Amino acid sequence: MVAEADAVMSGPEEGEVVEDGQGSNSEGKHALECKWTLWFDPGSGKTTTSSWGQTLMPVYSFQTVEDFWCLFNNIKPPSWLPTGSDFHLFKSGIEPKWEDPMNAKGGQWTLSIAKGRDAKAELDKHWLDGLLACIGEQFTEGDDICGIVVNLRARSDRISLWTRTAANEQVQMSLGKELRQFLGDPSLKMSYKATADQLASKSAKDRYVL
Ligand code: MGP
């Protein structure tokens, strides 16, 4: 665990998963399908495409249900984080950047959570539900998922599901619709932007909307 991680957590050290063939490892922990890494970005004020990512840091990787809860119970909920910061949970090996080869041809389903009464509780609940849907492999098209991000911002906070193949409308619509269900609100408004469009222009248009 890197020292900077103390900004958001104080918790477990990373461990290897050795399975016993029955879904649990030698410590009796239950293996997840993928290994995941939590990243934190405290933010650094106004960012541009060239300066973005300089304060982004990996915090902790896990591959069991128990290690996920150990992490989750030791980090602050997003609503407690400072404005400008982000959490990113990505499949280990994928960096939470547009430039990573797994993200470059993909995009993001994003929902905004307007400030106001109950907004903090809603944000924290959507974040946990989103995390559980990802690590629990709940999505029919889960192979297309790279990660999930929460951005704390002054105007409205955002949660985004990062996916691999923006051009595949059927896959993206399936992922978006399922995300709304897993967040407990099938009428949530969400939009999908392709990574390539955002790299090309600050005002990239939505590819898909729900
Ligand atoms: P942001 O932090 O996702 O949104 O991106 P914020 O702070 O609400 O700002 P806004 O511009 O969306 O209103 C801020 C800026 O960081 C983007 O406009 C990009 O210039 C840059 N940026 C964001 N991401 C996720 C990336 C990335 O993955 N790679 C690069 N190179 N730049 C990025």
Side-chain angles (χ1 to χ4, degrees):
M1 200 189 308
V2 293
E4 294 89 335
D6 290 346
V8 288
M9 65 180 290
S10 58
E13 293 301 323
E14 293 182 32
E16 278 297 303
V17 178
V18 185
E19 281 195 53
D20 67 357
Q22 296 173 4
S24 53
N25 67 8
S26 54
E27 297 166 21
K29 294 180 179 178
H30 296 84
L32 297 169
E33 194 111 342
C34 292
K35 188 172 183 182
W36 296 84
T37 300
L38 182 79
W39 300 67
F40 177 61
D41 191 341
S44 56
K46 195 79 199 135
T47 38
T48 61
T49 305
S50 53
S51 71
W52 185 89
Q54 287 170 1
T55 51
L56 181 65
M57 64 188 108
V59 173
Y60 183 70
S61 297
F62 59 90
Q63 200 176 355
T64 67
V65 175
E66 289 79 1
D67 287 346
F68 164 73
W69 284 113
C70 199
L71 169 68
F72 188 81
N73 291 331
N74 281 284
I75 55 174
K76 294 171 183 165
S79 67
W80 290 26
L81 294 179
T83 298
S85 59
D86 312 316
F87 269 143
H88 310 245
L89 185 82
F90 272 66
K91 287 176 180 167
S92 297
I94 307 178
E95 292 197 321
K97 307 176 170 171
W98 294 336
E99 291 81 356
D100 188 285
M102 294 292 271
N103 297 321
K105 292 184 181 153
Q108 301 83 35
W109 273 115
T110 301
L111 68 107
S112 295
I113 297 155
K115 304 283 172 175
R117 236 185 94 210
D118 302 331
K120 288 185 175 187
E122 191 185 347
L123 176 72
D124 293 343
K125 182 177 183 310
H126 283 341
W127 176 239
L128 176 57
D129 288 344
L131 292 179
L132 292 177
C134 287
I135 67 167
E137 305 289 337
Q138 298 294 300
F139 293 89
T140 311
E141 303 287 355
D143 283 352
D144 207 75
I145 291 177
C146 296
I148 186 164
V149 175
V150 59
N151 304 114
L152 291 310
R153 297 293 182 271
R155 261 178 297 155
S156 57
D157 301 323
R158 301 191 301 265
I159 291 177
S160 301
L161 185 70
W162 286 46
T163 70
R164 275 173 58 188
T165 54
N168 193 331
E169 180 171 1
Q170 179 263 319
V171 166
Q172 302 317 324
M173 294 308 280
S174 162
L175 288 166
K177 285 179 187 166
E178 286 183 344
L179 177 63
R180 297 198 304 184
Q181 280 170 18
F182 300 140
L183 299 189
D185 184 353
S187 65
L188 275 175
K189 293 213 179 316
M190 301 195 315
S191 58
Y192 186 95
K193 286 192 196 317
T195 296
D197 297 348
Q198 293 171 93
L199 272 166
S201 160
K202 262 288 223 189
S203 46
K205 290 203 169 66
D206 294 337
R207 286 275 183 110
Y208 314 117
V209 287
L210 277 171

